[in-house]
Amino acid sequence: MKNTFLVRTLSSHLFQLSVRLSLGIHHMGYVISKNVSTMRCYDEDNTEEGDFWNSDSYAHELQRCAKTRDLTGGKMIHAHIIISNFEFDMFVHNHLLNMYAKCGNLEDASQVFVKMPQRNVVSWTAIMAGYDQHGYGEDVLNYFSGMHRAGDRPNGFTFVSVLSACASLASPERGKQVHSQTITSGFEYQVFVANALITMYVQCKSLEDARKVFDKTSERDVVSWNALIAGYVEHGRIEEAIKLLCEMEIQNIKADHFTFATVLSGCSVLGDVEHGKKLHTQIIKIGLDSDGWVGNTLADMYAKCSTVVDDGLKVFDKMLDRNVVSWTEMIAGCLQHGHGKEALHLFEQMQLAGVRPNKFTLATVFGACASVSSLEMGKRIHAHKIKLGIEEDVFVENALVDMYAKCGSMVDAGKVFNKMPEKTVISWTAMIAGYAHHGFGKKAIELFEQMQLTGLKPTDITFICVLYACSHAGLVDEGRQYFNSMCQDHDIVPRLEHYTCMVDLYGRAGHLEEAENIIEKMTFKPNAVVWQTLLGACRVHGNMEIGKHAAERILDLKPHDSASYVLLSNIYAAADRWDDVEKVRKRMKETQVKKEPGCSWIEVKNRMHVFFSKDRTHPQTSRIYAKLEELTGQMMEAGYVPNTKFVLHDLPEDQKEDHLFHHSERLAIAFGLICTPPHTPLRIMKNLRVCGDCHDAIKFISTIVGREIVVRDANRFHHFNDGLCSCGGYW
């Protein structure tokens, strides 16, 4: 005990000395006027002026410093207290303690606490509130135990801090012990204590206990309702939150902006636009539609419901105070539902409004660029990010890598990746996925091996990308090895996507029976995508028997899936079984299934130009067709022979050739050649798989024009250069 006393005494003297030295306190008078209300201290002889400073005036100044978080001013007042002999005044000490705690200087707060010759409930509560406010829950509970040992009784405010500490520690056991003490102390039904109890149980994931406290509390305010509603929403019990809001209305409790924002966020999660619209009506009635927080949540709710994105934009347009959060939520909502162009348009409006984007905005916008394959826009926004001086963030850099990869520029993706100071498994996976989709299977595998050398553990998504790389590069043995390693060495349970990659791996290699066996032996029911993968392989290798079986399985699962009808029809057409082709087409008409028309597009000077087969709607049609005719002649001279088996219609041979010559990807290439500088790469996008004859033709074109031509179809990227393709003919 003597040692402890000596340590505490020495510590207190050192603390006093540090305060004096740090502020340059002299025995003579001094003036403080910058951060604290003007106060003058004179020599001890000047008692008339010195009498101005008493306990109340010190308390007032310390409260102001605590409120404004003015630590420097608070320390100056502390120094004044020491030389004015008020340092043993408990009332002043409690305010001093509160000031240090509120300003986040817990070390000095604890020194003041230790130095106090006497403490009361206010002293204990102030120190606990300070530690709780800054997230030191264990310290709060230690002080609470010390309070009990000292024989001081807690009050309601003490319990609020202690319950908050239990919540932050997610400790329901200790929370229940404190709950018992609130009952024995008679504070359980004080509304602010009850609210703290509800919040504690909610954060400790014990909603039933939270509801019991709520139901037992006779005097409930809007905070009580909000706490429980937030709990229901946070734990996915949205319908119960909505019911509670209805009860609130019945009991004439006026909901506030927090109530509506919380329930609206729940509607967003459920996709429950009907309840969202009803809440919107209530919000307008009580005049909360102009509230920024409510407006943001409303816009977000509408944006996340795909059928009513326009409603979200209407709400957004009416908002008076649109900050970076509002803009980002709307951009993300548009992107989430496939409206990439609208997302980019919103970003342009955001720039015109002078709102500075944050890292979440940029990551979302890079995703929008990727969704519409707008490399030019992506590069502009990347440059804008650098110009703004926004510091590098792994979240944004990952989105940049993904954007460049999906827009067809693995060179730019690699530059961003190599410059990243910090790389996460997501960074590596994005690059591996990029190489896989661009047909650089061996590079993807090399990168995967490098990642493992860094000590990062691959995820199930990483393995999907690796298996995809193997399947698109014909690396059957490697793919089988990585699948086994995933299961045995990394303890990752295969998902449907992993099995789909394996079906694709064997199917592309022509091992159709092995691919079918994988599907039949899977431990869970195969979906339409797995069977479509097998059907696509059957179409490439002309296996009608397995193809027909796969098509039947798909149509059982998705009777209106146009792609499956088309693939089956193509298998029959390739075998000249035109009667079977007609049967498939007749069935499509009967079930009102329509084939998605093939189209290709190219971005030139920040504008997308879209073409369909035999399209003559473009303003430069005459120049496009003239260029195409010139190219066709040059290709013929170079040895190109049209492969009419890819024309899946029963037509005369000359008409089949004419049909091939005017496919949408060739029109897009011709337009690109007449509208872009020589020797610059062309980047073409297509919504369907590029046909085999066009694949051969583009090889010839790349040699004739001396350009790299990058084509992104529904499955992958093809890089054509000097008569070769990155796929190596394996696609």
Side-chain angles (χ1 to χ4, degrees), residues 25 43 58 126 271 347 492 500 569 604 613 652 708 717:
I25 302 302
D43 296 38
Y58 281 128
F347 181 69
I492 294 174
T500 303
S569 174
V604 177
S613 182
E708 180 187 19
F717 282 89

Side-chain angles (χ1 to χ4, degrees), residues 44 75 128 145 147 169 184 220 229 234 274 310 336-337 362 401-402 431 506 614 712:
E44 290 178 354
K75 283 193 172 187
M128 282 187 256
S145 299
M147 183 180 186
L169 294 169
T184 57
R220 295 180 295 222
I229 287 171
E234 186 181 338
E274 292 309 314
D310 288 343
Q336 182 180 340
H337 296 291
L362 290 171
V401 170
D402 185 61
M431 274 302 289
Y506 289 125
K614 295 189 174 183
R712 187 184 96 172

Side-chain angles (χ1 to χ4, degrees), residues 37-265:
S37 300
T38 305
M39 69 181 186
R40 294 181 179 275
C41 181
Y42 296 91
D43 296 38
E44 290 178 354
D45 294 336
N46 195 346
T47 55
E48 185 178 343
E49 288 290 332
D51 286 344
F52 173 75
W53 291 99
N54 56 30
S55 299
D56 290 334
S57 54
Y58 281 128
H60 175 76
E61 287 299 326
L62 288 168
Q63 278 181 331
R64 193 192 61 77
C65 291
K67 187 176 181 180
T68 59
R69 304 296 188 263
D70 182 6
L71 181 61
T72 303
K75 283 193 172 187
M76 288 179 175
I77 297 169
H78 188 181
H80 193 268
I81 288 167
I82 292 170
I83 67 170
S84 301
N85 294 321
F86 274 89
E87 58 185 318
F88 298 110
D89 186 306
M90 186 187 293
F91 179 68
V92 173
H93 247 127
N94 285 341
H95 279 86
L96 193 59
L97 177 60
N98 179 62
M99 181 276 296
Y100 278 122
K102 291 277 176 65
C103 290
N105 192 331
L106 298 178
E107 185 178 349
D108 285 354
S110 62
Q111 288 283 4
V112 170
F113 184 80
V114 168
K115 184 178 177 291
M116 292 176 72
Q118 288 182 308
R119 304 182 191 98
N120 60 11
V121 65
V122 178
S123 318
W124 289 100
T125 301
I127 193 71
M128 282 187 256
Y131 274 92
D132 173 55
Q133 183 185 344
H134 294 91
Y136 296 100
E138 286 292 349
D139 292 286
V140 175
L141 296 180
N142 289 336
Y143 274 112
F144 188 56
S145 299
M147 183 180 186
H148 276 289
R149 288 193 299 271
D152 289 324
R153 287 172 57 84
N155 62 18
F157 298 105
T158 317
F159 282 119
V160 168
S161 294
V162 178
L163 288 166
S164 176
C166 293
S168 67
L169 294 169
S171 178
E173 297 80 12
R174 287 189 279 188
K176 285 183 177 181
Q177 290 173 11
V178 178
H179 186 179
S180 298
Q181 292 180 48
T182 66
I183 296 170
T184 57
S185 302
F187 289 105
E188 181 190 19
Y189 299 115
Q190 284 192 356
V191 66
F192 60 92
V193 176
N195 292 344
L197 279 165
I198 294 167
T199 303
M200 181 273 294
Y201 281 125
V202 162
Q203 291 187 20
C204 291
K205 300 181 180 179
S206 183
L207 288 178
E208 284 66 29
D209 288 318
R211 185 66 198 235
K212 285 176 185 176
V213 174
F214 179 83
D215 290 337
K216 286 180 181 178
T217 306
S218 55
E219 293 183 16
R220 295 180 295 222
D221 59 11
V222 69
V223 177
S224 319
W225 293 84
N226 285 346
L228 190 56
I229 287 171
Y232 282 135
V233 170
E234 186 181 338
H235 293 92
R237 292 162 65 170
I238 315 300
E239 291 179 2
E240 289 171 83
I242 293 170
K243 285 179 185 177
L244 208 57
L245 178 63
C246 295
E247 284 182 44
M248 226 177 149
E249 191 176 356
I250 292 166
Q251 296 191 25
N252 293 319
I253 304 294
K254 188 178 179 181
D256 62 9
H257 64 288
F258 181 88
T259 321
F260 284 110
T262 304
V263 181
L264 281 169
S265 67

